[in-house]
Structure formats: structure tokens, C-alpha cells
Amino acid sequence: VILEMEGPDRFMSRSKYHEDLPAAIKSTDRRVTDYKWDRDRKAWSFALAGYAEVVCAMKMAGFTVDELPSEQLGGGPAAPKLPSYRLSLDQIPQRVPESLWNRLLPFQKEGVQYILSVQGRALLADEMGLGKSVQALAAAAAYFPQSWPLLIICPSSLRFMWADAVRSWLPAEMQPAPSDLWVVSNIQEF
């Protein structure tokens, strides 16, 4: 897919027809609402504000994307920060502690890879018991210590399960001090 500027605030994508491309583009509906198919040019047209989401959706659908040069995105410090899209499996253990990474099952490693590929902006919807908590902790561990402390918000019925998961899954160097692992039991503690 080749991306080109269409005007000061729009860009378009050109590619040979592929049946999965419209679905990838439409998967951005909730985040990117200003897009349309241009029949004359046989290209999709998008508002520049949705650039990162469109590129991410195309790459997640498996397309190779020839992105716009950063100068066309505004250049310099004002340029939008684009996520790093698919980290290879051999890059992730450099960010996730090896002791945690080696305990994950292959599908959990794939989930962590996806979470990191979208900079943590993900929703895990696996069935119960498949390790969503572990995947979330592994992804959070990749941001240690730069983006810590870590706040976990969960239903009241799961608060002690999360505390146990933190204690049992995170490596020793990431374990919070007992006084720092705070489980809120009622509103008065908050």
C-alpha cells in the first residue's frame, strides 16, 4: 500500500485490489470516521488526523505500507508519534524480563507481542483461564521502570487475584515492597 498526501489535511492510499484492505480500513471506524473511497482515482482518502490508526490497521492486517515521509506529517517535534508496529519475537525478551517471558505459552507471547506493538493500547478478550492477567503483566513489565508505578484497576472480586498475580509472576527486581502493593477494599481506603 502506498500512502500519498492529497492536500494539507488529507492523505490517500493506493494499492492493487486486495479483498482484505477494505475490512482493514473499516476496522478503524471507531477511531477514524473521516474516510471515503474515491472511485475515479481508485484510492482511499483519509483525514490526516487518523494517520497513525490507519497505518496501524493496515499493518496489523498484514499489508506492507509505504508510509509518508515525516516532513509531510509536520516534521520536527510537532510530528505525530507513531507506534512501533510489529516487534519481532526475538526483540521482545529484551524488553520483557527473560524469567517472565520463558514462562509464557506461545499464544500468550503472541498476545504480549500485540500489546507492545500498539504501545499498550489493547483489549485482551481471551476466554477465562487463558492468562490475560499474565499477558498484561508481561506487557507492563516491558515498560519497567520508565513508566512505573503501575496502577491496576479491576472489579472488586478480582482485586486479590491481581495482587497474587503480581507477587507470583513479576520477577524479584520488579516486585513492589509489601507497603507499595495496595489493594483497596472499600471506598474509605481511597
Side-chain angles (χ1 to χ4, degrees):
V1 177
I2 299 171
L3 302 182
E4 300 172 356
M5 289 300 294
E6 186 179 20
D9 60 348
R10 295 196 71 78
F11 71 99
M12 64 180 170
S13 70
R14 294 182 188 266
S15 69
K16 293 181 181 177
Y17 176 77
H18 192 285
E19 61 188 27
D20 292 338
L21 188 57
I25 291 168
K26 290 177 182 176
S27 74
T28 66
D29 272 351
R30 293 193 178 150
R31 298 175 310 274
V32 179
T33 56
D34 187 5
Y35 66 89
K36 61 187 174 198
W37 173 251
D38 186 327
R39 286 185 185 159
D40 298 332
R41 291 191 275 182
K42 296 186 178 169
W44 287 94
S45 173
F46 305 92
L48 194 56
Y51 180 79
E53 288 81 5
V54 170
V55 171
C56 184
M58 289 178 177
K59 288 189 173 189
M60 293 304 293
F63 291 95
T64 301
V65 180
D66 188 8
E67 296 185 47
L68 296 171
S70 61
E71 307 85 55
Q72 291 183 341
L73 295 172
K81 186 174 188 285
L82 300 177
S84 56
Y85 296 101
R86 288 290 275 186
L87 296 173
S88 67
L89 284 174
D90 59 332
Q91 290 176 309
I92 292 177
Q94 298 168 4
R95 294 180 66 181
V96 177
E98 188 176 357
S99 60
L100 176 54
W101 183 252
N102 291 338
R103 293 172 63 191
L104 297 176
L105 297 170
F107 73 90
Q108 293 170 326
K109 290 178 181 180
E110 188 176 325
V112 172
Q113 180 185 22
Y114 174 75
I115 294 168
L116 294 177
S117 75
V118 293
Q119 292 187 336
R121 298 180 187 127
L123 174 68
L124 293 174
D126 292 341
E127 295 289 331
M128 285 178 37
L130 293 180
K132 293 180 294 295
S133 302
V134 174
Q135 292 175 63
L137 286 172
Y143 295 103
F144 180 83
Q146 306 90 319
S147 297
W148 283 46
L150 177 63
L151 172 65
I152 299 172
I153 300 173
C154 65
S156 180
S157 61
L158 298 176
R159 65 185 186 268
F160 296 111
M161 184 281 311
W162 269 100
D164 290 341
V166 166
R167 286 187 207 102
S168 64
W169 283 95
L170 289 181
E173 67 270 14
M174 294 182 171
Q175 285 290 325
S179 61
D180 291 338
L181 185 57
W182 189 33
V183 178
V184 177
S185 296
N186 59 51
I187 193 69
Q188 285 78 25
E189 290 183 24
F190 186 63

